[in-house]
Amino acid sequence: MSWQLRSPLALVGLACVAGAWLYPHWQPGPLGCAVGVLLCGALGLRSRLALVAAAFWLGCLAPASRVEGPALRGPSAVSGRVELAWGRRALLALPQGGRLLLSSPQPLQSGQVVHAFGSGKPVWTSALPGEPDPELFARTARVRAVLAASTVQAPPRAHRLGLAEHSGLLEALVTGDRSGVSEPQVELLRATGTSHVLAVSGLHVGLLAGLGALLFGRGLRLFSPWWEAPPWLVVVLGTGLVVAFSSSVGWPVSTRRAAVMASGALLAAALARRLRPWNLLGLAALLSVVAEPLSVRTLSFQLSFGAVAGILSLPPVSGWLPNSLRATLGASLGTLPALAWSLQSLALVSPLANLVAVPAVALMLPCSLLAWHTGWVAPLALADSTAACMLWALERLPSPELHPAVGPLGAAGLALAVVWPRGRGALLLLALTLRSYPARPVVTFLSVGQGDAALVEGPQTLLIDGG
């Protein structure tokens, strides 16, 4: 792990994530966290260890400093902005301060301002086996109530690409709104390991940053006979484009991470400084935790940062095809800990499928953005044709899957294997065998929606009436 010696911000970001993850199990209090941050920050001017400790205290302070949400009981009407959204559930920030969980009859999107009416009640304390603990999730977000809404009023979504046959897919690329993507398309992308193209992430932001830097650089050279543009101007213009796009899609976790890394890469290029990706990844993690501590408990955070860590852990190669395969394999390795712990699904065809999907998205995204903002039909037609070709190719790929399953120790071992290349093989084999088995037989009744399923765990594991 020589990267940790050359990239101290990577350890700083990891320490900040650890501090937020431990909350609320360990709560030193806002005042104690503030004192710790100031003290360790002062020592950190001379000690790298103290700087890491300061980041840990900062991670503890981030959730503790949030205003506690209101306790709702009975019929309630609320208005607020959606900060995090996953399906029909959302974290709603209220104008008077504090937040609450919203259960909506319709899908919501980050950044929306909504008005909801329903029944308020305390945050539930029970969950299906294997689900994230809802009480722990709520305490990290400083939430005390959930509103089961019967009516939600939200601003109507603009559908500017409706002429396209695959308008739902194209609008997902531009706005991050996946509600228009058909279920067969979602299943196809999931089975081929390409569902990340629907998440506004590093692929989208990186394309925009590179395209913006190219266009702005070429444009500024036109004035070079009369005026020499300073290097920082391209950084400002490129970063402005990234920030504007990220704001338009509501700053989801993956976009926030990608925006920080893209802006840092532009700045390093303008200053002719060596690019240190691990430092940028650590800085992005630090800023993401400060902006939204709850994000560390989301699968989006784990997959987004894990994918980049996996890519950076593999040695660089030359050539478009080898580099594309390296990126796909690295991303698969980096997301394996979260997938094996939470989803137990890994698409084997993902490296080949991404060789089809990534170039297609590289063409679809700028064309869709141009059509979205100008209404021009020609770029929309090109984007729609590219989407049709991509889906046609993905449908003809086989879609075998592995189903790795690990417990917390196994997931930790897989994560260590990502950043420790020398012990990677042994750690992978060991981690995939580490599962949590009960000391005595346990019977769990699963809510499967159509009757009950009984899971018996002991010397043998039995699933009875799985439906």
Side-chain angles (χ1 to χ4, degrees), residues 229-273:
W232 55 262
L233 187 56
V234 174
V235 177
V236 171
L237 295 175
T239 302
L241 180 62
V242 168
V243 170
F245 176 71
S246 302
S247 299
S248 68
V249 297
W251 289 100
V253 173
S254 55
T255 305
R256 189 181 298 126
R257 188 265 310 158
V260 173
M261 296 191 70
S263 301
L266 288 174
L267 181 60
L271 298 178
R273 300 290 297 271

Side-chain angles (χ1 to χ4, degrees), residues 18-20 22-37 53 56-65 142:
L22 285 178
Y23 188 91
H25 298 298
W26 183 59
Q27 302 182 50
L31 181 60
C33 284
V35 172
V37 169
F56 176 81
W57 281 94
L58 182 61
C60 296
L61 174 63
S65 61
R142 307 278 285 175

Side-chain angles (χ1 to χ4, degrees), residues 158-423:
H159 296 283
R160 305 179 186 176
L161 307 180
L163 293 177
E165 180 183 357
H166 304 93
S167 59
L169 182 61
L170 300 181
E171 288 182 359
L173 295 178
V174 175
T175 66
D177 178 12
R178 308 184 192 183
S179 60
V181 185
S182 66
E183 189 61 33
Q185 291 176 352
V186 172
E187 180 59 28
L188 174 63
L189 296 176
R190 187 205 62 78
T192 54
T194 55
S195 56
H196 63 90
V197 301
L198 296 180
V200 181
S201 60
L203 175 62
H204 306 69
V205 174
L207 286 172
L208 283 179
L211 183 61
L214 178 64
L215 294 178
F216 292 142
R218 293 280 179 89
L220 292 174
R221 289 194 190 99
L222 296 177
F223 299 95
S224 57
W226 305 279
W227 175 61
E228 184 176 354
W232 55 262
L233 187 56
V234 174
V235 177
V236 171
L237 295 175
T239 302
L241 180 62
V242 168
V243 170
F245 176 71
S246 302
S247 299
S248 68
V249 297
W251 289 100
V253 173
S254 55
T255 305
R256 189 181 298 126
R257 188 265 310 158
V260 173
M261 296 191 70
S263 301
L266 288 174
L267 181 60
L271 298 178
R273 300 290 297 271
R274 183 181 177 184
L275 184 64
R276 297 191 183 277
W278 282 108
N279 268 341
L280 293 178
L281 184 63
L283 179 62
L286 177 71
L287 296 179
S288 294
V289 170
V290 172
E292 180 47 74
L294 183 62
S295 62
V296 300
R297 298 199 179 278
T298 64
L299 188 60
S300 298
F301 183 95
Q302 298 161 20
L303 294 178
S304 178
F305 282 86
V308 179
I311 294 173
L312 297 181
S313 68
L314 297 183
V317 294
S318 58
W320 174 81
L321 182 59
N323 201 44
S324 299
L325 288 173
R326 166 186 170 270
T328 304
L329 291 174
S332 300
L333 177 66
T335 56
L336 181 60
L339 291 176
W341 189 9
S342 301
L343 301 181
Q344 292 86 47
S345 177
L346 181 65
L348 294 179
V349 77
S350 176
L352 181 59
N354 276 277
L355 290 179
V356 175
V358 173
V361 172
L363 178 60
M364 290 156 56
L365 178 62
C367 290
S368 299
L369 280 172
L370 187 60
W372 179 274
H373 291 287
T374 64
W376 293 348
V377 177
L380 178 60
L382 179 58
D384 195 32
S385 300
T386 305
C389 293
M390 181 190 75
L391 295 173
W392 179 87
L394 293 180
E395 287 172 353
R396 278 147 184 81
L397 291 176
S399 54
E401 289 183 294
L402 289 179
H403 299 281
V406 299
L409 289 178
L414 290 174
L416 183 59
V418 172
V419 296
W420 190 26
R422 292 185 179 180

